[in-house]
Amino acid sequence: MHYSFHDELSKYFFQIISRKYTTNVCRRYNDFVTLQNLLISKFPYRILPRLPPKQLMMDSLLEERRRGLQRYLQIICQHPIVGISPIIEVFLTDKSTNHQDHLQTVAAKEPDEYSTLSENAELPLEDQGRLAASREKMRILLNSVIKLTKLFDHSFVRLKNQSSDFKEMIGIVKSFEKHQETFPTETSESLVEGMNSISLSSEKSSLIQNMITEKLNLLLDVLTAHSDLCERVEGGIVSDHQKAISKMLNINKQKIKGVIRGSAAENVHALHKQEMEQTGVVGSLGRHSAFSLQCVLDETSLVDKYLQVLPSILLSFSYEQQKLTKDQSDIWGNVITKECSKFIENNN
């Protein structure tokens, strides 16, 4: 990753430091929106993650939006095709006051990806079955990661609540010190020490689990981007190609009917001409559709590479759970051992 994403200079600016280009720039949320729109127009058949909602403007949600934008940059900058686009370079380096105008000027000079395809480039035959299979596979994984992310979030919230609960308990236990005849000060001190350690360990573990969850959020962004890509392809060029084929077949049907019914030669000729023209349209759209399918297959392979980190994410989560359980067990064990020793001494 060749950039770092710093805390907001304000609610409306984000500081981006690029190690690759050795630059430091500030961007508004609207700059990201412009970038996204330009990338979709130039790379419609590549995975492009969604931007975090603009509504995340409350102070409590600024960090969530910052992390979302950081993941967005990470995915597009590391993409083997999108990441080397001059559009990305300008976004990360341009310091002009009219940045959006400059970005759009650069983008206007860049052709979309399909336009750069060589006429001799071999493309696979259009196979909507492969597209559907790819989409279904990723849909299942997406739903699973969504559920897993929610469970990770629940675990994080539980740890935060546990830390807060024990801080509150400490105050209550300290209040018992006023009644030493029923609650010895030594016992209070041991419990306060133990509860404080538990609170700190829960807080520390929540931060670690939050970092683990962020890795899962990255996978969620990638899988969602793949789902969006499939929708763009199926609802765009593939749909256009199928409509063109239907139109060509309809013209052919009218021509055949005209021949059978003995229609005027000029009418049949006109239909034949329309058929030939439509055949060219079908061929052009078919090649374009095949290119989009090849891109989807390439992007599916890219998503598969991202998913290879999933086992390590789950193992990291499991290790942190095991470590937290052991640490807190040791803390309570020390408190109980100390108090039991005092009880034995006092009764001898």
Side-chain angles (χ1 to χ4, degrees), residues 185-201:
T185 302
E186 295 81 1
T187 300
S188 171
E189 291 175 349
S190 295
L191 286 172
V192 166
E193 181 181 353
M195 290 177 179
N196 185 58
S197 297
I198 292 292
S199 178
L200 291 174
S201 69

Side-chain angles (χ1 to χ4, degrees), residues 180-275:
Q180 295 187 16
E181 65 280 1
T182 57
F183 204 97
T185 302
E186 295 81 1
T187 300
S188 171
E189 291 175 349
S190 295
L191 286 172
V192 166
E193 181 181 353
M195 290 177 179
N196 185 58
S197 297
I198 292 292
S199 178
L200 291 174
S201 69
S202 297
E203 180 69 24
K204 179 180 178 181
S205 183
S206 72
L207 295 176
I208 294 174
Q209 287 199 27
N210 196 37
M211 290 188 289
I212 296 172
T213 301
E214 191 61 15
K215 294 179 181 179
L216 199 59
N217 282 330
L218 182 69
L219 295 186
L220 184 57
D221 289 347
V222 170
L223 286 167
T224 302
H226 185 277
S227 176
D228 292 343
L229 166 62
C230 290
E231 288 186 7
R232 283 199 302 273
V233 170
E234 290 179 344
I237 186 62
V238 170
S239 176
D240 291 343
H241 184 217
Q242 293 303 312
K243 290 177 182 177
I245 292 175
S246 295
K247 183 176 180 180
M248 179 186 69
L249 294 176
N250 186 51
I251 295 173
N252 177 262
K253 185 177 180 180
Q254 292 180 37
K255 186 184 74 172
I256 293 175
K257 285 183 177 180
V259 172
I260 294 175
R261 294 173 179 174
S263 300
E266 59 268 21
N267 292 336
V268 174
H269 178 73
L271 287 170
H272 178 72
K273 183 179 179 182
Q274 289 181 34
E275 183 182 17

Side-chain angles (χ1 to χ4, degrees), residues 106-318:
V106 171
K109 299 177 182 178
E110 293 295 314
D112 66 80
E113 187 180 5
Y114 177 69
S115 300
T116 64
L117 184 68
S118 169
E119 292 183 0
N120 299 324
E122 294 186 3
L123 295 171
L125 294 176
E126 183 182 349
D127 186 348
Q128 293 191 48
R130 293 179 70 186
L131 177 60
S134 172
R135 183 172 188 178
E136 179 62 14
K137 168 189 171 182
M138 291 303 168
R139 184 191 66 80
I140 294 172
L141 287 168
L142 173 60
N143 289 336
S144 296
V145 172
I146 288 174
K147 294 176 183 178
L148 195 58
T149 303
K150 289 180 179 178
L151 293 173
F152 273 34
D153 287 337
H154 292 166
S155 177
F156 169 76
V157 171
R158 283 196 298 270
L159 286 173
K160 293 289 289 183
N161 289 339
Q162 184 182 58
S163 178
S164 299
D165 289 346
F166 275 103
K167 288 178 182 178
E168 186 175 352
M169 286 184 191
I170 289 171
I172 295 173
V173 171
K174 284 184 176 181
S175 70
F176 291 155
E177 295 176 359
K178 300 175 182 178
H179 311 283
Q180 295 187 16
E181 65 280 1
T182 57
F183 204 97
T185 302
E186 295 81 1
T187 300
S188 171
E189 291 175 349
S190 295
L191 286 172
V192 166
E193 181 181 353
M195 290 177 179
N196 185 58
S197 297
I198 292 292
S199 178
L200 291 174
S201 69
S202 297
E203 180 69 24
K204 179 180 178 181
S205 183
S206 72
L207 295 176
I208 294 174
Q209 287 199 27
N210 196 37
M211 290 188 289
I212 296 172
T213 301
E214 191 61 15
K215 294 179 181 179
L216 199 59
N217 282 330
L218 182 69
L219 295 186
L220 184 57
D221 289 347
V222 170
L223 286 167
T224 302
H226 185 277
S227 176
D228 292 343
L229 166 62
C230 290
E231 288 186 7
R232 283 199 302 273
V233 170
E234 290 179 344
I237 186 62
V238 170
S239 176
D240 291 343
H241 184 217
Q242 293 303 312
K243 290 177 182 177
I245 292 175
S246 295
K247 183 176 180 180
M248 179 186 69
L249 294 176
N250 186 51
I251 295 173
N252 177 262
K253 185 177 180 180
Q254 292 180 37
K255 186 184 74 172
I256 293 175
K257 285 183 177 180
V259 172
I260 294 175
R261 294 173 179 174
S263 300
E266 59 268 21
N267 292 336
V268 174
H269 178 73
L271 287 170
H272 178 72
K273 183 179 179 182
Q274 289 181 34
E275 183 182 17
M276 292 298 99
E277 291 176 350
Q278 190 62 23
T279 300
V281 172
V282 168
S284 177
L285 289 175
R287 181 171 174 77
H288 199 157
S289 182
F291 173 74
S292 72
L293 173 61
Q294 181 60 58
C295 289
V296 171
L297 297 177
D298 292 342
E299 298 304 278
T300 301
S301 297
L302 181 60
V303 175
D304 282 333
K305 291 180 180 178
Y306 271 99
L307 290 170
Q308 290 175 4
V309 76
L310 186 55
S312 67
I313 292 176
L314 292 171
L315 287 174
S316 296
F317 180 81
S318 301

Side-chain angles (χ1 to χ4, degrees), residues 190 329-345:
S190 295
S329 177
D330 290 344
I331 291 170
W332 287 128
N334 290 335
V335 172
I336 293 172
T337 299
K338 186 184 297 184
E339 289 305 308
C340 285
S341 297
K342 291 178 183 177
F343 180 81
I344 294 173
E345 289 177 4

